Amino acid sequence: VVLPYLPYFSNCKGFDTYIPIWAVLELYTECTLVSQEETEPVPLLSFGFVPKADKCENVEVECIYDEVPSETLPLSRWFEMEAGSELFYLYADPVNSEDLISGTITSELVPVVLQTQGSTYNLPTHINLEIFYHQIDQSTKRIIEASVYFLEFKELSIPERDGQETVSYKLSINYRALNHRELMNRFIFGVDFYMGINFIVGVTSVVYCVILLIYHRVLTRIKPVPKFKFWTYLAMMTPAPLKGIFYAMTPIVLVLTLVSIFVMGNLFDIPISQEMKSGIFGELTPTYGTEYQGSLEGAKYARVGVGLLMVGSYLILLGSSILIPSEKKQEVEEDHMGNVWHIDKWKRANLVFLTVILIVLAILLLQFSFSEFYGENIWTMIAMLVVLGKVFEYFALVMLKDNLLVSPFAQSIGIIQGLVTFGAGDFVEFVLAYFVEYLMMIMSRLYLDFVVNWITESIENAGKNVKKVVSSVSEVKKLMKSFKRGKKPKEKPFEIEEEIEESSEHLVYEEYEGSASDSESVTLEKIEPTPPQESNTSLELPPEQEVEPLLEAYQNYANDLIVILYSPIFIGIIWNFYDTTQIAANYEIMKEDFDLYFLFSIMILPFQLVMDVFLHNCNEYYNGWAIHDFLDYMNYKFKNRNTSWSGFDYLHDNVIEEKNRTLYRMCFSSQFFFICTIYTSAIMICILGVQAVIINKEYNIFDDKALIPVVLLVLGLCVLFHFLSIKLGKKIGIWGIGSNQAQQVPVFEEEDSEEEEKENRIDQLNELFNEIYNPQPKYQPVPKIPNWNQVEILKAKDEMIKRDLNSDRLTSPEIRQKFLEVNLEWLQDNLESVFTPRTLESQKGLILSKFSKMFGDLEEPSEPTELSQMHSEAPPLEVSDSAKSILKYWVARAKRNRDLQAQIDTVLTKNLKERCILCKSRFGLQCQMIENIEAMFFRFINITQEDSLRKNWNRQKWIAYVDQNAHFRTICLVCLKKCQEFNYHSAQNHKKPKVYFKPQLKETTKQLALSWLNSARKKLKP
């Protein structure tokens, strides 16, 4: 029914029974009418613009209730409606009388929504009607939103309830045009506008990262300054998370889709069929009783919540079994009480228990985020959530003692923080909240992570000290009691003392237990591991040469990356289950507007990846962490793993700190992102399932006839897709081990005999000889050498040594003076071993002047030194003319080879490749010519007919000849050292043949041989 007046509001002063809409908006003095020429509409790109248009402020009309409250009617009256009910509708656009009569109205209807809960005998005495519109142009208005608020209430007396006495109320009307921000928050503009906003947000974020990068690049103290790397970073850090999340989410999304179709009957509000409108279990009543008191639609959504709970529970069990795999041949311990200790089951139970705690806390936080208090204090809430998230991660690490197991919790916390960001008052505040979280993320990655670690270590050490003090006080009290009783105090057992005060030396032994037998692997796998020490009061950055700080730093980034990549998927799940969970509805986000939030999460992804690249470079400039080389090594380690699942690859992980070992095995590969996505999805889907069940208060999960069918159906789908995923993965060959991965470091079960060891060493040397001295033809890659996969990790040590040698703190006079003062006594006792006699004699004056500053005035020796006596007493060395000629020839030959080598430096630089030809390393590279330079030069002389002993041969021709005919190889310093070791060991293998008899020569034969020898010597003399 189309009415030209406001319904429900009747018997008003000045209007009698009806209130025409035009009259209340034009005739009152509280209304300001603006002429068409002076009207200023809202332009599309005028951010913050306030229009100049018609408005009415607090138009008050006195009215009287016509209804009798005590009368009982089948339907609720307008003042008894619940909050959120639609009282009546207004046309958004003006309607002509012709269209109204013909019934061809095309304008949309705008609902007038009741924002306050009504009551029967507690009637409102002040009612506020608000109408907001969009000033499109100077002559066109469009109503956007209309609401009714009950502001003041009055408890009715009995005569007022029975209608014997009238009840009056005041009607206030507000009517105005929305400004640009209000229109943007109500998503009035088109999708193109919001895509532009998302693009501006992304570009602004990237520009800020660029400024931060330039700042750290200019002010960095790291020497040498690391190079800026963009494409290599992007190529190494992008494929693994994309693959892992795709592998994990494909079957999960398919299962959720089928749950939505079978249980809910639609997908994104698109009904599958009319028969399945209520799902396949729609005919089953949600109670075993005679009549269900609640809403059948709500019961259907609660069943969907039960299905989500089943999916999440299945994923929790599956993820816990993958995160904590069962050890083969594991011994099960049994105590004297008969209890069986199975470490894997206890770990999984611990993990599941902490998961339940997180789900409960997330539900409580979600309900709190629906409140107005949260929306009004959104900035404070975001900061508090970040702090609480760090606290939960710390306790999770204390409880689980494994950083890999903490990762899904950190990712779930990040997703929950992003979810409750929807609790912002509007879209603008949502975008501003994104910037706040983004800046806090940058601060955390660059500056605060090591501060948090320092704080936690300080708290742990303080706790240990408190325990020591408490134990000491308790021991003193026991001693005092024993003395008072006259008893001799018992001696404290040595074992108890060890448990109370654990020395740092014991910690060092515990840290490297089991790895001392393989010192080479320890050196290669972890560079100079630092034993645990007491944390000082001063705040220091973690040492860059250790692997653990890089593992933990990149783990924080990987957690943030999963949150960013997973957010669009999670928002899509919430979008599909909009009515089921009511999360977006509680945040006052309309279903038709939710796609814009989904669009924001999608468009921000490429910008976030670019920002991550800049932040990694900033980390290298500021903290000095070689993240690029570390990530390169992790990729190489994953590609050359021993097992298909990297979690079973235990090779060389005993030198890594125990809490980081499983994380180290996963190598931040696609498998790491795969299992983290599975467990994170399990947590988030369980949260959605619990939310869907608890919002339907009348629904009893155990009284539903469809409970068992829903559980069986969902679990069957999970098992089916789990089975199909495994079969398909094996068929395609996902995470298979290639031929290059089969050649790994062997596991030595028993020692070989000396002869077998010698044969194996000779075979290895022969293979190594073919790899080094018989490389593939020019421009063809050489296969990788087994057992050299640890070479990449040595780059950090070499880089650290270079930086230390070039740093000002080692070359400063203060450090040198301090070194001499500390080591004064040692230098006095070991001066002869520090300097050779030749150095003491040649640098006598300099050494005396330096050491006189430390030892005081030094007396000149009265007797000459041993070296000077040796020089003075030694007779002159007599060299024959033939020996002189040979020496001169060798010197000229060496100088010529030196000049030849120097002249082809440009050719060597030109042929220097990006990787070592043997181990594929990028660090410490140099180019070598495979051919002997002297043999190459003789061939050049034969072609050009030049004198080989002249110094003025045609250098340009020589350089061009080498460039065209020589073969080159790029080799790193580590591989070069290996080649030198090969030459040494191969020379040791070629022993001289044993002589089992002494030749017997006749006298005539001896005389003949001597005559030949003398004649040869005479011919050699000039």
Side-chain angles (χ1 to χ4, degrees):
V1 178
V2 180
L3 301 176
Y5 54 84
L6 295 175
Y8 304 129
F9 308 117
S10 60
N11 200 1
C12 296
K13 186 177 180 180
F15 293 98
D16 196 22
T17 306
Y18 306 110
I19 302 178
I21 299 177
W22 63 269
V24 78
L25 299 181
E26 295 180 2
L27 298 180
Y28 278 81
T29 58
E30 290 83 358
C31 295
T32 303
L33 302 180
V34 181
S35 62
Q36 182 174 345
E37 292 77 12
E38 297 178 355
T39 300
E40 297 179 1
V42 180
L44 181 62
L45 301 178
S46 58
F47 299 97
F49 182 81
V50 178
K52 185 178 180 182
D54 301 339
K55 64 179 180 179
C56 295
E57 295 182 357
N58 294 325
V59 176
E60 295 183 356
V61 181
E62 296 292 336
C63 301
I64 298 175
Y65 284 100
D66 288 337
E67 297 84 0
V68 178
S70 61
E71 292 182 358
T72 303
L73 297 178
L75 298 178
S76 299
R77 288 167 288 191
W78 64 276
F79 53 83
E80 298 172 341
M81 303 286 285
E82 296 181 355
S85 302
E86 298 175 354
L87 297 180
F88 56 94
Y89 299 89
L90 297 174
Y91 281 113
D93 302 310
V95 179
N96 297 325
S97 58
E98 293 81 4
D99 297 336
L100 184 61
I101 296 173
S102 61
T104 58
I105 302 174
T106 59
S107 176
E108 297 179 356
L109 293 176
V110 177
V112 180
V113 182
L114 179 62
Q115 303 293 340
T116 313
Q117 180 70 35
S119 176
T120 303
Y121 298 117
N122 195 12
L123 298 183
T125 58
H126 185 188
I127 301 174
N128 185 22
L129 173 62
E130 293 183 349
I131 301 175
F132 301 121
Y133 66 92
H134 175 204
Q135 189 70 45
I136 300 176
D137 52 37
Q138 291 184 335
S139 60
T140 306
K141 293 180 175 65
R142 175 174 294 167
I143 296 178
I144 302 300
E145 182 180 298
S147 302
V148 172
Y149 296 87
F150 295 161
L151 301 180
E152 299 175 5
F153 293 88
K154 177 184 177 181
E155 183 70 26
L156 301 182
S157 62
I158 295 178
E160 290 175 338
R161 294 179 183 180
D162 297 335
Q164 298 176 4
E165 295 182 4
T166 60
V167 181
S168 62
Y169 64 92
K170 180 175 63 176
L171 176 63
S172 298
I173 300 175
N174 291 278
Y175 173 73
R176 66 176 179 86
L178 298 173
N179 57 36
H180 189 277
R181 174 173 176 172
E182 292 171 335
L183 291 171
M184 186 168 61
N185 290 331
R186 288 164 174 80
F187 304 103
I188 302 304
F189 306 117
V191 178
D192 296 340
F193 173 81
Y194 293 97
M195 291 180 64
I197 293 295
N198 298 340
F199 182 79
I200 293 174
V201 170
V203 171
T204 304
S205 304
V206 173
V207 170
Y208 179 80
C209 283
V210 172
I211 296 174
L212 197 64
L213 177 70
I214 296 174
Y215 169 79
H216 285 294
R217 173 61 180 83
V218 173
L219 301 180
T220 182
R221 296 182 180 180
I222 306 300
K223 302 296 181 183
V225 179
K227 294 182 179 179
F228 173 75
K229 298 170 282 289
F230 182 83
W231 294 112
T232 53
Y233 257 132
L234 206 61
M236 287 191 297
M237 72 182 192
T238 305
L242 293 180
K243 289 181 181 179
I245 294 177
F246 175 77
Y247 295 155
M249 291 308 301
T250 299
I252 294 176
V253 170
L254 290 176
V255 171
L256 294 179
T257 301
L258 294 179
V259 169
S260 178
I261 292 174
F262 292 147
V263 183
M264 194 165 60
N266 61 69
L267 186 65
F268 289 99
D269 279 344
I270 302 175
I272 304 303
S273 63
Q274 191 64 28
E275 293 77 9
M276 290 184 60
K277 185 178 180 180
S278 299
I280 60 176
F281 305 110
E283 297 180 357
L284 297 177
T285 58
T287 181
Y288 286 99
T290 57
E291 185 178 356
Y292 181 65
Q293 301 297 328
S295 170
L296 295 178
E297 192 75 8
K300 181 184 71 172
Y301 294 142
R303 290 172 177 175
V304 177
V306 173
L308 295 178
L309 270 175
M310 291 300 103
V311 175
S313 302
Y314 186 87
L315 292 177
I316 287 176
L317 297 178
L318 175 63
S320 61
S321 63
I322 300 177
L323 284 170
I324 308 174
S326 299
E327 301 285 350
K328 294 182 179 180
K329 299 181 181 180
Q330 187 185 49
E331 296 182 0
V332 180
E333 300 179 2
E334 185 174 359
D335 62 5
H336 65 281
M337 298 296 294
N339 296 322
V340 177
W341 170 260
H342 199 296
I343 187 172
D344 293 336
K345 293 182 179 179
W346 278 96
K347 283 184 178 180
R348 291 170 188 162
N350 214 14
L351 178 65
V352 174
F353 175 70
L354 191 61
T355 303
V356 174
I357 293 177
L358 179 60
I359 293 173
V360 173
L361 294 177
I363 291 296
L364 295 176
L365 176 61
L366 197 62
Q367 303 304 316
F368 173 65
S369 66
F370 296 152
S371 64
E372 294 183 3
F373 177 81
Y374 181 89
E376 294 173 356
N377 302 274
I378 183 68
W379 317 116
T380 306
M381 295 296 107
I382 290 176
M384 290 181 61
L385 288 178
V386 172
V387 175
L388 293 177
K390 293 295 182 182
V391 172
F392 187 89
E393 291 176 24
Y394 170 74
F395 282 106
L397 181 60
V398 172
M399 186 173 178
L400 300 175
K401 302 184 185 304
D402 194 332
N403 263 324
L404 177 62
L405 303 183
V406 177
S407 287
F409 294 101
Q411 296 153 15
S412 301
I413 292 172
I415 296 173
I416 293 170
Q417 291 173 354
L419 175 62
V420 297
T421 307
F422 290 132
D426 47 47
F427 181 76
V428 175
E429 290 189 2
F430 170 78
V431 174
L432 294 178
Y434 161 78
F435 278 112
V436 172
E437 293 180 346
Y438 162 69
L439 293 177
M440 295 183 68
M441 179 266 296
I442 293 178
M443 296 291 293
S444 176
R445 285 193 197 173
L446 293 181
Y447 314 116
L448 297 182
D449 278 344
F450 75 94
V451 177
V452 173
N453 294 334
W454 175 78
I455 292 175
T456 54
E457 290 177 2
S458 301
I459 294 175
E460 290 175 356
N461 292 329
K464 293 179 181 178
N465 295 332
V466 171
K467 288 183 179 178
K468 291 180 181 179
V469 173
V470 172
S471 61
S472 301
V473 172
S474 61
E475 291 295 328
V476 171
K477 289 182 178 179
K478 290 180 181 179
L479 290 174
M480 294 297 292
K481 289 181 180 180
S482 63
F483 280 124
K484 287 180 180 180
R485 296 173 182 174
K487 297 181 180 180
K488 183 178 180 180
K490 296 182 180 180
E491 295 183 358
K492 187 178 180 181
F494 178 73
E495 291 77 10
I496 298 178
E497 182 178 0
E498 276 189 337
E499 293 178 358
I500 294 177
E501 295 184 2
E502 190 176 25
S503 63
S504 59
E505 183 179 3
H506 174 71
L507 292 176
V508 174
Y509 294 154
E510 186 179 1
E511 178 73 16
Y512 300 107
E513 183 180 1
S515 61
S517 61
D518 192 5
S519 59
E520 181 180 0
S521 64
V522 172
T523 305
L524 292 175
E525 192 67 16
K526 182 180 179 183
I527 303 164
E528 297 181 1
T530 304
Q533 300 177 354
E534 296 289 339
S535 61
N536 300 327
T537 56
S538 61
L539 183 61
E540 296 180 357
L541 289 175
E544 62 184 8
Q545 69 272 16
E546 293 185 355
V547 178
E548 281 81 359
L550 292 174
L551 275 171
E552 295 176 0
Y554 198 80
Q555 180 194 16
N556 294 333
Y557 160 72
N559 294 337
D560 294 338
L561 183 59
I562 289 181
V563 171
I564 294 168
L565 295 177
Y566 187 81
S567 293
I569 303 174
F570 187 64
I571 292 175
I573 295 174
I574 297 178
W575 187 9
N576 179 61
F577 298 105
Y578 180 92
D579 297 321
T580 302
T581 61
Q582 293 290 315
I583 293 178
N586 287 323
Y587 289 137
E588 298 181 357
I589 301 175
M590 304 299 293
K591 186 184 299 185
E592 55 270 15
D593 299 332
F594 205 74
D595 57 342
L596 297 177
Y597 288 90
F598 179 76
L599 180 65
F600 177 85
S601 62
I602 289 291
M603 291 191 62
I604 208 66
L605 287 181
F607 297 102
Q608 186 66 48
L609 295 176
V610 174
M611 289 186 286
D612 291 338
V613 172
F614 290 137
L615 290 180
H616 285 323
N617 284 276
C618 288
N619 243 326
E620 293 192 8
Y621 294 142
Y622 179 73
N623 293 320
W625 292 340
I627 299 178
H628 183 275
D629 297 335
F630 169 76
L631 185 57
D632 190 17
Y633 172 68
M634 288 287 101
N635 291 337
Y636 179 82
K637 184 176 181 298
F638 176 72
K639 292 178 181 178
N640 294 273
R641 64 193 185 278
N642 285 326
T643 57
S644 297
W645 185 255
S646 57
F648 295 113
D649 191 1
Y650 304 101
L651 187 63
H652 298 314
D653 65 349
N654 55 348
V655 295
I656 303 297
E657 194 174 355
E658 186 175 0
K659 67 178 182 179
N660 291 321
R661 287 181 184 176
T662 53
L663 184 66
Y664 174 76
R665 293 171 196 158
M666 299 306 294
C667 303
F668 297 106
S669 61
S670 56
Q671 294 179 354
F672 167 81
F673 292 96
F674 169 80
I675 181 56
C676 287
T677 303
I678 286 181
Y679 208 84
T680 302
S681 301
I683 296 175
M684 301 312 299
I685 292 174
C686 282
I687 292 174
L688 296 181
V690 174
Q691 171 67 17
V693 173
I694 64 175
I695 61 175
N696 296 280
K697 301 178 182 179
E698 295 82 5
Y699 178 78
N700 186 351
I701 185 174
F702 300 105
D703 193 37
D704 188 4
K705 293 182 180 180
L707 174 63
I708 296 177
V710 169
V711 171
L712 294 178
L713 172 67
V714 175
L715 291 181
L717 291 175
C718 292
V719 173
L720 175 62
F721 278 90
H722 183 193
F723 174 78
L724 294 177
S725 299
I726 294 177
K727 290 297 182 181
L728 183 61
K730 292 181 179 180
K731 185 71 174 179
I732 300 177
I734 299 175
W735 297 324
I737 300 179
S739 59
N740 62 327
Q741 295 168 322
Q743 301 176 354
Q744 288 296 316
V745 180
V747 179
F748 298 99
E749 298 179 355
E750 58 181 7
E751 296 183 356
D752 298 332
S753 61
E754 294 183 359
E755 295 181 358
E756 293 178 352
E757 183 179 357
K758 179 179 178 182
E759 294 178 358
N760 294 334
R761 188 156 59 94
I762 293 175
D763 294 338
Q764 292 178 1
L765 288 174
N766 291 333
E767 295 178 1
L768 190 60
F769 177 85
N770 294 328
E771 295 286 350
I772 296 174
Y773 294 102
N774 295 320
Q776 299 292 333
K778 197 172 182 181
Y779 305 119
Q780 291 186 6
V782 177
K784 299 176 182 178
I785 295 181
N787 293 338
W788 288 16
N789 59 336
Q790 301 94 345
V791 172
E792 289 290 330
I793 200 68
L794 292 176
K795 297 186 290 185
K797 178 179 178 181
D798 295 338
E799 188 69 22
M800 181 268 297
I801 294 174
K802 286 184 178 181
R803 292 173 182 173
D804 284 346
L805 293 177
N806 296 329
S807 61
D808 296 336
R809 60 187 181 89
L810 290 182
T811 58
S812 61
E814 292 80 5
I815 296 298
R816 292 182 176 182
Q817 184 66 25
K818 188 66 176 179
F819 172 79
L820 294 177
E821 292 175 0
V822 173
N823 300 279
L824 181 61
E825 297 181 0
W826 185 88
L827 289 173
Q828 290 177 348
D829 299 334
N830 300 274
L831 195 60
E832 295 181 357
S833 61
V834 174
F835 300 104
T836 62
R838 185 180 300 276
T839 304
L840 288 172
E841 186 67 24
S842 60
Q843 305 291 336
K844 178 179 179 181
L846 179 61
I847 294 174
L848 289 176
S849 63
K850 292 292 184 183
F851 282 90
S852 62
K853 296 180 180 179
M854 297 185 298
F855 303 116
D857 296 335
L858 303 176
E859 298 180 359
E860 289 287 341
S862 59
E863 299 179 358
T865 61
E866 181 182 354
L867 185 63
S868 61
Q869 290 180 0
M870 183 178 64
H871 283 302
S872 60
E873 296 176 0
L877 183 62
E878 295 182 359
V879 182
S880 62
D881 295 338
S882 59
K884 288 181 179 180
S885 300
I886 294 174
L887 290 175
K888 290 180 180 180
Y889 171 74
W890 283 349
V891 171
R893 182 179 172 188
K895 289 182 178 180
R896 182 195 62 200
N897 291 342
R898 180 196 62 188
D899 295 339
L900 292 173
Q901 185 69 32
Q903 290 170 9
I904 65 172
D905 283 344
T906 56
V907 181
L908 296 177
T909 305
K910 174 183 175 182
N911 290 273
L912 182 66
K913 305 299 181 182
E914 295 182 355
R915 291 179 178 266
C916 174
I917 195 173
L918 301 176
C919 68
K920 306 305 179 184
S921 171
R922 293 193 180 97
F923 183 78
L925 302 178
Q926 64 179 11
C927 183
Q928 288 184 341
M929 187 171 66
I930 297 178
E931 293 86 357
N932 183 274
I933 191 170
E934 197 171 35
M936 178 66 70
F937 182 69
F938 288 153
R939 290 199 294 269
F940 167 72
I941 293 300
N942 293 333
I943 295 175
T944 58
Q945 301 297 325
E946 295 192 16
D947 188 1
S948 62
L949 295 180
R950 288 189 303 141
K951 295 183 179 180
N952 56 350
W953 60 82
N954 195 322
R955 290 167 174 76
Q956 300 298 329
K957 291 183 179 180
W958 161 244
I959 295 174
Y961 179 79
V962 171
D963 189 20
Q964 294 177 1
N965 298 277
H967 294 79
F968 305 93
R969 68 178 180 188
T970 300
I971 189 170
C972 66
L973 298 178
V974 179
C975 295
L976 183 61
K977 183 179 179 181
K978 291 286 184 180
C979 296
Q980 294 172 354
E981 292 177 359
F982 164 77
N983 294 334
Y984 172 77
H985 292 298
S986 60
Q988 296 294 326
N989 285 332
H990 296 287
K991 297 182 179 179
K992 296 181 179 180
K994 296 182 179 180
V995 180
Y996 297 97
F997 64 92
K998 184 177 181 179
Q1000 302 292 332
L1001 300 178
K1002 296 181 179 179
E1003 189 64 26
T1004 56
T1005 305
K1006 288 182 179 180
Q1007 295 297 329
L1008 181 61
L1010 289 174
S1011 63
W1012 287 350
L1013 178 61
N1014 292 330
S1015 61
R1017 288 175 176 174
K1018 291 179 181 180
K1019 291 181 180 180
L1020 289 175
K1021 292 183 178 180

